[in-house]
Amino acid sequence: MSKKTATKTPSQSASYQYDAIIIGTGPGGEGAAMNLSKSNRKVAVIERQKDVGGGCVHWGTIPSKALRHSVSRLIEYKSNPLFRFSERPQRLTFQDILHHASNVISKQSSLRSSFYDRNRIHLYQGDATFVDAHTIRVQHHDGSQELLTAQTIVIATGSRPYRPPGVDFAHPRVYDSDTILDLTHNPQRVLVYGAGVIGCEYASIFKGLGAKVDLINTRDRLLSFMDDEISDALSYHFWNSGIVIRHNEEFAKVETLDTGVVLHLQSGKKVKADCILWANGRTGNTDSLNLDAIGLKADSRGQLKVNEHYQTEIDNVYAVGDVIGYPSLASAAFDQGRIAAHAIVHGKCDDRLITDIPTGIYTIPEMSSVGKTEQQLTAAKIPYEVGRAQFKHLARSQITGTEVGSLKLLFHAESKEILGIHCFGERASEIIHIGQAIMEQKGKGNNVEYFVNTTFNYPTMAEAYRVAALNGLNRLCD
């Protein structure tokens, strides 16, 4: 990537107010700010919202997972035989479970705010725009403005839901993944357009609350980046729970009514619902930064290109998190911020984001994976074997009543090196990290036989690794 060196005026070359300014306080911005501060750099952060945490804390990761947890517990309660003969519980509404989510959001935001205070990082609230490569204008909420200067700028502004033209998002029955938290009525039928991670998670939530759900998928299968067996398991579970999945569909228009919406599809179908959740794509938050002032351009999705150190085409401007696109995960954004900070301080950085980034999808039940899928290994002609453990055979699953799901280990048929781990079921996002820890070991430390030779607490979900390892090793040809 060719570099553009920022032109310095005499006043800029003399001194700056800060060593670094971070725009945005989501995971990426927090990771960069904290690590720069701990390296004795004078740091300022700019946040346009009244509280820190970014979309992760206020509209995305934390709220949706808190909602999911409440609904999942409700489903467990209803299915628990201990309560079958008791009075039927009052049906919970979306607003009921939002109360729990609001408490978690408040706690997370308060905690993250204390990090900035503790590390003596200056927080400015307002909208940030570039004046030049070292100067940021902050438009405060009261209308006042001030200029801040720094040697380095880090863009960590995140992303927002994509809103296609022609869809009236001002209508009270049309939502995206940000505004769905403002839902005030109790929909009996929900239409989710977009069957990616966000769409599938919210389809689970609304179905768990008892609503009828239509899930519109623009592709031919759910979550095609996952291992086929795992995505098929989710599809079957959705189908079995009553979610209607419509594959290979594209919208033509959204007709809004006083009491609902009608989605017109290009195939000629019409789907009516009380409300629609638009969950099809995201856009980087770069359009209001005045990037033209520094000669930096975002792509058509509002995203910025960076090198392995998260440095943009402007040598003192970095970018991390959703604003740079893939993998668009809160977990990865923290690490991107840390790596960028290290590169800023030392001029270079040997650290890299790990190759095998774990994926956690918080549907009901959860899905999680790390490493290669069966399809990738087959295409690469790598000899592998499969070990499986069905949750319904585990004592812990039987005790907790969470018997839906399985763990799948993929390992090299000769070296027994673990190549991929895939899990579907309750607590999958936690279970996956046991295997990840072994998979990341160097040399002979990465070996499926570890799970046979170690001793697990009993009964636990971790025991699934021993069961799966034995199942796979028994398949090997002598």
Side-chain angles (χ1 to χ4, degrees):
M1 182 185 294
S2 60
K3 293 292 174 188
K4 301 175 185 177
T5 303
T7 302
K8 298 180 181 179
T9 65
S11 61
Q12 288 175 326
S13 60
S15 63
Y16 301 108
Q17 292 169 268
Y18 295 97
D19 294 311
I21 294 173
I22 318 297
I23 307 175
T25 62
E30 181 182 308
M34 298 306 155
N35 281 276
L36 284 167
S37 177
K38 292 181 187 302
S39 296
N40 297 316
R41 297 306 192 265
K42 187 178 181 182
V43 180
V45 295
I46 304 171
E47 174 54 58
R48 69 190 311 177
Q49 304 298 331
K50 64 183 182 69
D51 296 308
V52 301
C56 172
V57 168
H58 296 284
W59 305 281
T61 303
I62 297 303
S64 63
K65 279 51 178 179
L67 290 170
R68 181 224 176 265
H69 176 80
S70 295
V71 173
S72 180
R73 298 293 78 77
L74 175 63
I75 293 171
E76 286 183 14
Y77 173 76
K78 288 181 176 180
S79 62
N80 193 317
L82 288 174
F83 304 108
R84 284 181 183 170
F85 302 106
S86 63
E87 182 180 350
R88 186 177 179 84
Q90 181 181 1
R91 184 184 179 202
L92 292 180
T93 66
F94 192 77
Q95 293 71 39
D96 292 329
I97 63 171
L98 267 177
H99 179 69
H100 170 62
S102 298
N103 288 336
V104 177
I105 291 169
S106 178
K107 289 178 181 178
Q108 278 288 303
S109 184
S110 177
L111 174 67
R112 314 216 89 79
S113 180
S114 71
F115 294 164
Y116 292 96
D117 292 338
R118 188 185 312 158
N119 287 278
R120 295 180 175 83
I121 296 171
H122 296 175
L123 173 63
Y124 294 85
Q125 291 182 303
D127 292 303
T129 54
F130 279 94
V131 176
D132 57 46
H134 294 277
T135 308
I136 300 293
R137 176 180 287 110
V138 182
Q139 178 80 32
H140 295 293
H141 298 152
D142 63 3
S144 63
Q145 297 182 1
E146 67 180 307
L147 298 180
L148 304 178
T149 61
Q151 173 64 47
T152 304
I153 311 293
V154 180
I155 300 171
T157 47
S159 65
R160 63 183 184 274
Y162 170 67
R163 291 185 167 188
V167 178
D168 182 11
F169 285 92
H171 192 276
R173 297 302 178 104
V174 180
Y175 300 92
D176 60 28
S177 58
D178 285 356
T179 60
I180 193 65
L181 299 177
D182 298 325
L183 181 71
T184 56
H185 59 100
N186 187 28
Q188 302 300 303
R189 183 168 181 177
V190 177
L191 178 58
V192 180
Y193 186 83
V197 173
I198 294 172
C200 286
E201 289 179 350
Y202 272 103
S204 290
I205 289 170
F206 281 108
K207 186 59 189 176
L209 287 172
K212 294 181 179 179
V213 177
D214 286 80
L215 180 61
I216 310 300
N217 185 17
T218 59
R219 301 184 180 183
D220 61 354
R221 62 183 297 117
L222 294 183
L223 305 174
S224 56
F225 59 89
M226 298 290 285
D227 185 89
D228 282 357
E229 283 190 344
I230 300 298
S231 62
D232 286 346
L234 180 68
S235 294
Y236 174 78
H237 190 76
F238 275 7
W239 172 82
N240 197 46
S241 67
I243 294 175
V244 176
I245 307 173
R246 304 175 189 269
H247 295 293
N248 293 313
E249 297 282 7
E250 296 280 352
F251 92 104
K253 68 174 183 178
V254 177
E255 178 186 356
T256 54
L257 309 171
D258 289 342
T259 58
V261 297
V262 177
L263 177 65
H264 296 251
L265 297 170
Q266 292 182 11
S267 64
K269 300 184 187 74
K270 297 179 183 179
V271 186
K272 186 177 181 179
D274 297 333
C275 66
I276 184 171
L277 168 60
W278 197 274
N280 194 42
R282 297 187 67 82
T283 300
N285 293 324
T286 53
D287 52 320
S288 63
L289 292 175
N290 190 29
L291 295 178
D292 288 343
I294 59 174
L296 190 61
K297 293 187 180 298
D299 64 18
S300 60
R301 297 175 65 87
Q303 296 170 352
L304 299 172
K305 291 182 179 179
V306 295
N307 63 16
E308 66 274 18
H309 305 307
Y310 302 101
Q311 189 178 27
T312 70
E313 294 178 348
I314 309 302
D315 62 356
N316 72 301
V317 178
Y318 292 69
V320 295
D322 280 14
V323 78
I324 67 172
Y326 178 84
S328 296
L329 296 170
S331 54
F334 276 112
D335 285 336
Q336 290 169 349
R338 172 182 57 81
I339 294 168
H342 194 82
I344 291 167
V345 170
H346 300 285
K348 63 178 182 178
C349 179
D350 294 331
D351 290 351
R352 296 288 186 276
L353 201 62
I354 61 172
T355 302
D356 294 318
I357 301 172
T359 298
I361 302 172
Y362 295 83
T363 47
I364 302 173
E366 293 178 1
M367 306 166 66
S368 193
S369 69
V370 63
K372 302 298 184 184
T373 66
E374 284 202 65
Q375 294 69 49
Q376 290 170 331
L377 294 174
T378 299
K381 293 182 170 54
I382 296 174
Y384 71 93
E385 194 47 85
V386 184
R388 293 181 176 87
Q390 301 296 328
F391 285 2
K392 64 184 178 181
H393 297 147
L394 302 179
R396 186 60 180 267
S397 290
Q398 295 167 359
I399 291 168
T400 59
T402 53
E403 298 180 32
V404 173
S406 64
L407 173 69
K408 179 163 78 169
L409 303 180
L410 306 178
F411 59 94
H412 198 285
E414 297 169 0
S415 69
K416 300 178 184 175
E417 173 189 2
I418 301 170
L419 303 171
I421 307 168
H422 307 276
C423 190
F424 175 67
E426 203 58 26
R427 303 288 188 273
S429 60
E430 302 281 356
I431 294 168
I432 203 78
H433 291 300
I434 300 169
Q436 181 196 24
I438 302 304
M439 189 172 139
E440 289 295 315
Q441 298 303 305
K442 304 302 181 185
K444 294 182 179 180
N446 178 4
N447 193 304
V448 72
E449 289 187 344
Y450 168 84
F451 300 118
V452 177
N453 297 328
T454 195
T455 301
F456 291 94
N457 281 331
Y458 179 82
T460 60
M461 294 305 296
E463 185 196 3
Y465 279 96
R466 180 180 63 83
V467 175
L470 286 169
N471 177 267
L473 291 169
N474 286 338
R475 296 175 189 273
L476 291 177
C477 297
D478 293 334

